[in-house]
Amino acid sequence: MRNKTGFNPLSRTAAHQRAMARNMVTSLFRFERITTTKAKAKEVRKAAEKLITRGKVDSVHNRRTAAKFIQDEKILNKLFTEIGPRMKDRNGGYTRILKLGFRQGDAADVVILELVDYKLPSSESEAPAKAKKAEKAEEKKPAAKKAPAKKAASKAKTAEKAAPAEEAK
C-alpha cells in the first residue's frame, strides 16, 4: 500500500538516495545533460528544479541553502552565475526528460535528463575546435621528430660498431 509515499526510494537507503541525488544534480549542472534511468531522472529532477529556482536569486541565504546540496564550489558558482540567470524568465519546468529506449542488460528505461535551454554542439562550433586541435598537433610534431632522430642516430652508431665486428670474423 502506498500510504502517501511522496517519492521513489529506488531500493536504496536514505543516505545512498541523498548521495546519489547530490552526485547526479552536480553532474547535471556540470554537463547540462546526463543519461540515466527513468526512475532516477524523475527523482533527480525534483531536487534540480528546486535548486535552479534558488539559483535565480543570488543571495547569501540561497547560496548557503544550495551549498548544503552541491558540494563542488565551481558548480555552485555556475548555478548562480550562468544557469539561474538563464532561467530567470521561466516559472518552472527547467529540465526535460527524453526517452532513449531500454538498457541491454536489465531492460531498464534509459532517458536523457537535460536542462531545457541545452543546445547540442553544432558542426560549425566543432570545426574550429578540430582546427585548433590540428594546430596543436602540428606544434607538437617538430618536438616529436627530434626524439626519433636521436634514436636513429644511436641505431646508426650501433650498426657501425656491429659492422666492423662482423667483418673481422
Side-chain angles (χ1 to χ4, degrees):
M1 207 189 294
R2 279 192 81 234
N3 286 338
K4 297 186 179 181
T5 303
F7 61 95
N8 182 354
L10 301 169
S11 300
R12 288 166 170 77
T13 62
H16 190 179
Q17 289 170 27
R18 196 176 313 114
M20 185 195 65
R22 283 178 168 182
N23 290 333
M24 291 184 76
V25 167
T26 302
S27 295
L28 176 64
F29 292 157
R30 176 177 286 133
F31 302 112
E32 299 187 8
R33 184 178 208 194
I34 57 174
T35 304
T36 184
T37 62
K38 185 177 177 182
K40 286 180 189 174
K42 285 183 172 184
E43 287 301 310
V44 168
R45 178 175 57 179
K46 294 174 188 176
E49 297 215 358
K50 289 176 184 175
L51 287 169
I52 292 172
T53 302
R54 289 265 183 202
K56 288 165 66 172
V57 178
D58 192 1
S59 66
V60 175
H61 177 68
N62 283 346
R63 276 190 181 260
R64 287 181 179 165
T65 305
K68 289 179 185 176
F69 202 81
I70 298 174
Q71 302 294 317
D72 191 348
E73 223 170 283
K74 289 180 183 176
I75 303 304
L76 183 67
N77 194 32
K78 181 179 180 180
L79 172 65
F80 284 94
T81 57
E82 294 177 28
I83 298 171
R86 281 192 333 222
M87 304 290 184
K88 200 79 166 172
D89 299 332
R90 298 185 73 87
N91 293 326
Y94 310 115
T95 59
R96 171 188 303 134
I97 294 179
L98 303 170
K99 295 178 183 176
L100 288 179
F102 300 102
R103 192 161 51 196
Q104 182 71 33
D106 60 356
D109 286 332
V110 178
V111 298
I112 294 175
L113 177 65
E114 68 181 10
L115 298 179
V116 171
D117 61 350
Y118 177 79
K119 291 182 178 49
L120 287 172
S122 63
S123 59
E124 295 172 4
S125 63
E126 290 176 4
K130 288 181 181 178
K132 288 181 183 179
K133 286 182 182 178
E135 290 174 9
K136 288 182 181 178
E138 289 175 9
E139 290 174 4
K140 291 180 181 179
K141 282 182 182 178
K145 287 181 181 178
K146 291 178 184 176
K150 290 180 183 177
K151 288 181 182 177
S154 64
K155 286 181 182 178
K157 288 181 183 177
T158 55
E160 289 174 8
K161 289 180 184 176
E166 288 176 3
E167 289 175 8
K169 291 180 184 178

